[in-house]
Amino acid sequence: QVQLVESGGGSVRAGGSLRLSCAVSGHTYGNYRMAWFRQAPGQEREGVASITTGGGSTVYADSVKGRFSISQDNAKNTLYLQMNNLKPEDTAMYSCAAGALLGGGPSLVPQAYNDWGQGTQVTVSS
């Protein structure tokens, strides 16, 4: 089983930046996909960005394209989400997720993931 621990959340003003980290430990099964999801109170979970660990293919939600960037450091077993030009509507609990890559590529669908972190809160004020 994979353990995921997020960090880096906090409170920022609109236009500011944050970098989230997700430390990965435990068994990682060959090539796999990882992703960041977010969920605001009263709203459904939303896929934000995803990456495949083998080829590094990425996909982003339209709402964050051009502002967020997902990356990984395999040597450190860490996934990152660089968030720039933050907006109040980005306020949410952000969680990272991991899942075996049995076909296809990066995915923003929660059902594609087996392991989840506890999340880190991001709050953006206007």
Side-chain angles (χ1 to χ4, degrees):
Q1 188 174 358
V2 177
Q3 289 80 45
L4 306 170
V5 179
E6 302 93 337
S7 61
S11 297
V12 296
R13 294 269 201 152
S17 298
L18 283 173
R19 188 177 79 158
L20 305 183
S21 299
C22 174
V24 183
S25 60
H27 175 67
T28 51
Y29 22 83
N31 288 337
Y32 54 101
R33 57 169 68 93
M34 295 198 69
W36 288 97
F37 287 81
R38 67 185 182 186
Q39 188 167 21
Q43 296 188 21
E44 292 188 357
R45 179 180 286 171
E46 175 190 20
V48 174
S50 175
I51 189 169
T52 56
T53 62
S57 298
T58 58
V59 64
Y60 295 91
D62 288 342
S63 58
V64 306
K65 279 181 183 176
R67 301 188 298 122
F68 290 12
S69 178
I70 188 171
S71 63
Q72 57 189 354
D73 185 332
N74 291 330
K76 295 182 178 180
N77 288 333
T78 302
L79 178 75
Y80 300 101
L81 184 69
Q82 178 66 44
M83 305 186 295
N84 298 326
N85 190 22
L86 282 160
K87 304 176 180 181
E89 51 263 43
D90 294 319
T91 295
M93 181 71 75
Y94 284 71
S95 300
C96 62
L101 186 62
L102 302 176
S107 174
L108 299 180
V109 176
Q111 289 79 6
Y113 299 89
N114 307 103
D115 299 295
W116 295 82
Q118 293 298 310
T120 185
Q121 178 68 36
V122 172
T123 303
V124 184
S125 59
S126 57

